[in-house]
Amino acid sequence: MTASTENRGQFGSKIGFILSAAGSAVGLGNIWKFPGKAYSCGGGAFLVIYILMVVFIGTTVMLGEFVLGRKTQKNAIGAIRELNSKFAWVGGLGVLTGFIILCYYCQVGGWTMKYIVGYIIESSTIYADPMGYFLNMLGANGFPLQGAIIFPLIFLFLTAFIISRGVAEGIEKMSKILMPLLFILLIGLMIRSCTLPGADAGVMYMLHFDPSTIDANAFLVALGQAFFSLSLGMGVMITYASYLSKDDNLITNTGIICFLDTCVALFAGFMIIPAVFATGIDPGMGGGFAFATLAGVFMSIPGGTIFGILFYFLLFFAAVTSSTSILEGTVAFLVEEKGMERKKTVVMVSVVLFIIGVFYTLSQAYMDLKGIWISREGISYPIFGDFMEYLTDRLLLPLGALTTTVFAGWIWGTDNAIKEATSDGKYKFALAPLWAFLLRIVAPIAIIIIIIAGMFLGMSIS
Ligand code: TRP
């Protein structure tokens, strides 16, 4: 054990690890990203593809990250270096990915806080024009001081503050209380949304399997979304598993975390899409689903404003438990591998990512505009939003996941990987041969095909 691993502490309990890993996985990806993607990629057919991606590729990669982390007891880069130092650059890739994700993650995290405050002080303004309120936050009527600067800054400050103090204690304890609460609230709101007058068209849309909506793009979006939602492809799960001991059953943990994360995404889908149909608020492609649409649900239930406050508070919390896991990945690399001082690193990284992130929100108000630069009031802004998501979800996360599978399956070898997964034979793993096959053959090939297809599709879309 190196000095740095000794300092990192351990998860206090088995359930603490599951909830912390689930806390990293369950985030804006499930509630803000997923419903919009399901809606625009064909509803029911997309759900089927998404679930297949999680079951066959997501679980395979997650267990791959877990075995690498627990075996080496190191952060993502350290783990890869220990197995083969030639590949240490891959760690740098993960850090870049996390950095780009955080640029926009903190912005959207800030929006959740803006909505907490919004429902507390001006819910009637939101109810009067939900879409207008959302666009206003993004800067449709003047510079979005709150949406792009003030709230994202508070969100980032909180994330950075937690990270600079070390994650384990606080996050683990909070996760134990708040994650189950989020789950219950989602189910309640989902039921209400599905029973709104006119919601059945939305429920049908999500349940109807229409094969004609399946195209290469749907596979691409589903895979990228699965990696993003399960926190795979940048070594976060390697790092989390490095805190575990041989007593922990990695196989069942993988199953539980993937199951919980997918449930939350599906609940969010069935909470938001039926509301889109019932209220007629179609937020387009700009990520407004979790913000503008839900006003229709809160408006229609007794005490809805309280539910609104609670909902955005829990969404905010889900976002923080994820953003800290991403920032931790970036900071741990710079501290443990490059010898930088922790607090300084946190501040430096935060400042840069905040400045870039501001452009994300600015570019959202112009989502109907194509092109790289847009001009407003004499200032040109780059259309960052789509580009950042393209780069991370279609390229960088799949590349990171590919590395994990190749590492665990080929360089380290499936015999070693299975031995680690079963804690040296302590736990049963009936599907071990299947996992080995998926890890070595199916997942890498599928990921490569999807990355290549994505490059061509990506070009033709933009
Ligand atoms: N999974 C989180 C979400 O759904 C985001 C996230 C946290 C993430 N850690 C990650 C994504 C690591 C990719 C890699 O919101």
Side-chain angles (χ1 to χ4, degrees), residues 81-107:
R81 173 171 299 138
E82 184 169 305
L83 289 168
N84 190 329
S85 59
K86 278 197 227 114
F87 287 85
W89 57 271
V90 169
L93 194 80
V95 171
L96 177 71
T97 317
F99 181 82
I100 300 174
I101 292 177
L102 265 184
C103 291
Y104 66 82
Y105 213 91
C106 287
Q107 292 289 315

Short mmCIF file of all heavy atoms in Angstrom, two decimals, residues 81-107:
data_model
loop_
_atom_site.label_atom_id
_atom_site.label_comp_id
_atom_site.label_asym_id
_atom_site.label_seq_id
_atom_site.Cartn_x
_atom_site.Cartn_y
_atom_site.Cartn_z
N ARG A 81 -1.67 2.04 -14.39
CA ARG A 81 -0.21 2.05 -14.47
C ARG A 81 0.38 0.77 -13.88
O ARG A 81 1.33 0.22 -14.41
CB ARG A 81 0.35 3.28 -13.74
CG ARG A 81 1.85 3.21 -13.68
CD ARG A 81 2.50 4.46 -13.17
NE ARG A 81 2.21 5.61 -13.99
CZ ARG A 81 1.92 6.80 -13.49
NH1 ARG A 81 1.84 6.96 -12.20
NH2 ARG A 81 1.71 7.80 -14.29
N GLU A 82 -0.23 0.31 -12.77
CA GLU A 82 0.32 -0.89 -12.14
C GLU A 82 0.25 -2.09 -13.08
O GLU A 82 1.12 -2.96 -13.09
CB GLU A 82 -0.46 -1.19 -10.85
CG GLU A 82 0.12 -2.37 -10.09
CD GLU A 82 -0.47 -2.49 -8.70
OE1 GLU A 82 -0.40 -1.50 -7.94
OE2 GLU A 82 -1.00 -3.56 -8.38
N LEU A 83 -0.82 -2.13 -13.88
CA LEU A 83 -0.97 -3.27 -14.78
C LEU A 83 -0.09 -3.13 -16.02
O LEU A 83 0.45 -4.11 -16.52
CB LEU A 83 -2.43 -3.42 -15.19
CG LEU A 83 -3.31 -3.90 -14.05
CD1 LEU A 83 -4.77 -3.75 -14.41
CD2 LEU A 83 -3.00 -5.36 -13.75
N ASN A 84 0.01 -1.90 -16.52
CA ASN A 84 0.83 -1.70 -17.71
C ASN A 84 1.13 -0.22 -17.86
O ASN A 84 0.28 0.57 -18.26
CB ASN A 84 0.07 -2.21 -18.94
CG ASN A 84 0.98 -2.26 -20.15
OD1 ASN A 84 1.89 -1.45 -20.29
ND2 ASN A 84 0.72 -3.22 -21.02
N SER A 85 2.38 0.15 -17.55
CA SER A 85 2.70 1.57 -17.44
C SER A 85 2.60 2.28 -18.79
O SER A 85 2.48 3.50 -18.84
CB SER A 85 4.09 1.76 -16.84
OG SER A 85 5.03 1.11 -17.66
N LYS A 86 2.65 1.52 -19.86
CA LYS A 86 2.56 2.16 -21.19
C LYS A 86 1.22 2.85 -21.39
O LYS A 86 1.08 3.71 -22.24
CB LYS A 86 2.72 1.11 -22.28
CG LYS A 86 4.16 0.74 -22.58
CD LYS A 86 4.24 0.03 -23.93
CE LYS A 86 5.09 -1.21 -23.82
NZ LYS A 86 4.43 -2.44 -24.00
N PHE A 87 0.24 2.44 -20.60
CA PHE A 87 -1.11 2.96 -20.82
C PHE A 87 -1.51 4.06 -19.85
O PHE A 87 -2.67 4.39 -19.73
CB PHE A 87 -2.13 1.82 -20.78
CG PHE A 87 -2.09 0.94 -22.00
CD1 PHE A 87 -1.20 -0.11 -22.08
CD2 PHE A 87 -2.91 1.22 -23.08
CE1 PHE A 87 -1.14 -0.91 -23.22
CE2 PHE A 87 -2.86 0.43 -24.22
CZ PHE A 87 -1.97 -0.64 -24.29
N ALA A 88 -0.53 4.60 -19.15
CA ALA A 88 -0.87 5.60 -18.13
C ALA A 88 -1.58 6.82 -18.74
O ALA A 88 -2.38 7.47 -18.09
CB ALA A 88 0.38 6.02 -17.38
N TRP A 89 -1.32 7.12 -20.01
CA TRP A 89 -1.95 8.26 -20.66
C TRP A 89 -3.48 8.14 -20.66
O TRP A 89 -4.20 9.14 -20.72
CB TRP A 89 -1.46 8.42 -22.10
CG TRP A 89 -1.68 7.20 -22.95
CD1 TRP A 89 -0.83 6.14 -23.09
CD2 TRP A 89 -2.84 6.87 -23.71
NE1 TRP A 89 -1.37 5.19 -23.90
CE2 TRP A 89 -2.62 5.61 -24.31
CE3 TRP A 89 -4.05 7.51 -23.98
CZ2 TRP A 89 -3.55 4.98 -25.13
CZ3 TRP A 89 -4.98 6.89 -24.80
CH2 TRP A 89 -4.72 5.63 -25.37
N VAL A 90 -3.95 6.89 -20.58
CA VAL A 90 -5.39 6.68 -20.57
C VAL A 90 -6.02 7.39 -19.38
O VAL A 90 -7.12 7.93 -19.47
CB VAL A 90 -5.69 5.17 -20.52
CG1 VAL A 90 -7.16 4.94 -20.25
CG2 VAL A 90 -5.26 4.51 -21.81
N GLY A 91 -5.27 7.41 -18.28
CA GLY A 91 -5.76 8.12 -17.10
C GLY A 91 -6.00 9.58 -17.41
O GLY A 91 -6.98 10.19 -16.99
N GLY A 92 -5.08 10.15 -18.20
CA GLY A 92 -5.22 11.56 -18.59
C GLY A 92 -6.51 11.78 -19.36
O GLY A 92 -7.20 12.79 -19.20
N LEU A 93 -6.87 10.80 -20.16
CA LEU A 93 -8.11 10.86 -20.93
C LEU A 93 -9.32 10.96 -20.00
O LEU A 93 -10.22 11.77 -20.20
CB LEU A 93 -8.21 9.59 -21.77
CG LEU A 93 -9.21 9.55 -22.87
CD1 LEU A 93 -8.64 10.29 -24.08
CD2 LEU A 93 -9.52 8.10 -23.25
N GLY A 94 -9.31 10.13 -18.96
CA GLY A 94 -10.41 10.13 -18.00
C GLY A 94 -10.53 11.48 -17.31
O GLY A 94 -11.63 11.99 -17.08
N VAL A 95 -9.38 12.07 -17.00
CA VAL A 95 -9.38 13.36 -16.32
C VAL A 95 -9.97 14.44 -17.23
O VAL A 95 -10.80 15.25 -16.81
CB VAL A 95 -7.95 13.74 -15.90
CG1 VAL A 95 -7.89 15.15 -15.40
CG2 VAL A 95 -7.47 12.77 -14.83
N LEU A 96 -9.59 14.39 -18.49
CA LEU A 96 -10.13 15.35 -19.46
C LEU A 96 -11.65 15.18 -19.57
O LEU A 96 -12.41 16.16 -19.56
CB LEU A 96 -9.47 15.13 -20.82
CG LEU A 96 -9.99 16.02 -21.95
CD1 LEU A 96 -9.53 17.45 -21.74
CD2 LEU A 96 -9.52 15.51 -23.32
N THR A 97 -12.08 13.93 -19.65
CA THR A 97 -13.52 13.65 -19.75
C THR A 97 -14.26 14.26 -18.58
O THR A 97 -15.28 14.94 -18.73
CB THR A 97 -13.78 12.13 -19.75
OG1 THR A 97 -12.85 11.49 -20.59
CG2 THR A 97 -15.19 11.82 -20.19
N GLY A 98 -13.76 13.98 -17.37
CA GLY A 98 -14.42 14.47 -16.17
C GLY A 98 -14.48 15.98 -16.15
O GLY A 98 -15.49 16.58 -15.78
N PHE A 99 -13.39 16.59 -16.59
CA PHE A 99 -13.32 18.04 -16.61
C PHE A 99 -14.41 18.62 -17.53
O PHE A 99 -15.14 19.54 -17.15
CB PHE A 99 -11.93 18.46 -17.09
CG PHE A 99 -11.73 19.94 -17.12
CD1 PHE A 99 -11.42 20.62 -15.97
CD2 PHE A 99 -11.89 20.64 -18.30
CE1 PHE A 99 -11.25 21.99 -15.99
CE2 PHE A 99 -11.74 22.01 -18.34
CZ PHE A 99 -11.41 22.68 -17.17
N ILE A 100 -14.54 18.04 -18.71
CA ILE A 100 -15.54 18.56 -19.66
C ILE A 100 -16.95 18.35 -19.11
O ILE A 100 -17.80 19.22 -19.18
CB ILE A 100 -15.39 17.89 -21.04
CG1 ILE A 100 -14.01 18.17 -21.61
CG2 ILE A 100 -16.46 18.40 -22.00
CD1 ILE A 100 -13.72 17.43 -22.90
N ILE A 101 -17.19 17.15 -18.55
CA ILE A 101 -18.53 16.88 -18.00
C ILE A 101 -18.86 17.90 -16.91
O ILE A 101 -19.94 18.48 -16.87
CB ILE A 101 -18.62 15.45 -17.43
CG1 ILE A 101 -18.54 14.41 -18.55
CG2 ILE A 101 -19.92 15.25 -16.63
CD1 ILE A 101 -18.55 12.97 -18.08
N LEU A 102 -17.87 18.14 -16.05
CA LEU A 102 -18.14 19.05 -14.92
C LEU A 102 -18.47 20.46 -15.38
O LEU A 102 -19.23 21.17 -14.71
CB LEU A 102 -16.93 19.10 -14.00
CG LEU A 102 -16.96 18.15 -12.82
CD1 LEU A 102 -15.73 18.40 -11.96
CD2 LEU A 102 -18.22 18.33 -11.98
N CYS A 103 -17.88 20.88 -16.51
CA CYS A 103 -18.17 22.24 -17.00
C CYS A 103 -19.68 22.44 -17.10
O CYS A 103 -20.21 23.45 -16.65
CB CYS A 103 -17.54 22.46 -18.37
SG CYS A 103 -15.76 22.56 -18.36
N TYR A 104 -20.39 21.47 -17.70
CA TYR A 104 -21.83 21.71 -17.82
C TYR A 104 -22.60 21.14 -16.65
O TYR A 104 -23.67 21.62 -16.32
CB TYR A 104 -22.37 21.21 -19.17
CG TYR A 104 -22.36 19.73 -19.45
CD1 TYR A 104 -23.36 18.90 -18.96
CD2 TYR A 104 -21.37 19.17 -20.25
CE1 TYR A 104 -23.36 17.54 -19.27
CE2 TYR A 104 -21.38 17.82 -20.55
CZ TYR A 104 -22.37 17.01 -20.07
OH TYR A 104 -22.37 15.66 -20.35
N TYR A 105 -22.04 20.13 -15.98
CA TYR A 105 -22.74 19.54 -14.84
C TYR A 105 -22.98 20.59 -13.75
O TYR A 105 -24.05 20.65 -13.14
CB TYR A 105 -21.90 18.39 -14.28
CG TYR A 105 -22.71 17.26 -13.71
CD1 TYR A 105 -23.10 16.19 -14.50
CD2 TYR A 105 -23.12 17.27 -12.38
CE1 TYR A 105 -23.84 15.15 -14.00
CE2 TYR A 105 -23.87 16.23 -11.87
CZ TYR A 105 -24.23 15.18 -12.68
OH TYR A 105 -24.99 14.16 -12.17
N CYS A 106 -21.99 21.43 -13.53
CA CYS A 106 -22.14 22.45 -12.48
C CYS A 106 -23.15 23.51 -12.88
O CYS A 106 -23.82 24.10 -12.04
CB CYS A 106 -20.79 23.11 -12.18
SG CYS A 106 -19.73 22.00 -11.26
N GLN A 107 -23.24 23.77 -14.17
CA GLN A 107 -24.26 24.73 -14.61
C GLN A 107 -25.65 24.18 -14.32
O GLN A 107 -26.48 24.85 -13.71
CB GLN A 107 -24.10 25.00 -16.12
CG GLN A 107 -22.84 25.76 -16.48
CD GLN A 107 -22.88 27.21 -16.04
OE1 GLN A 107 -23.88 27.89 -16.23
NE2 GLN A 107 -21.81 27.69 -15.43
#
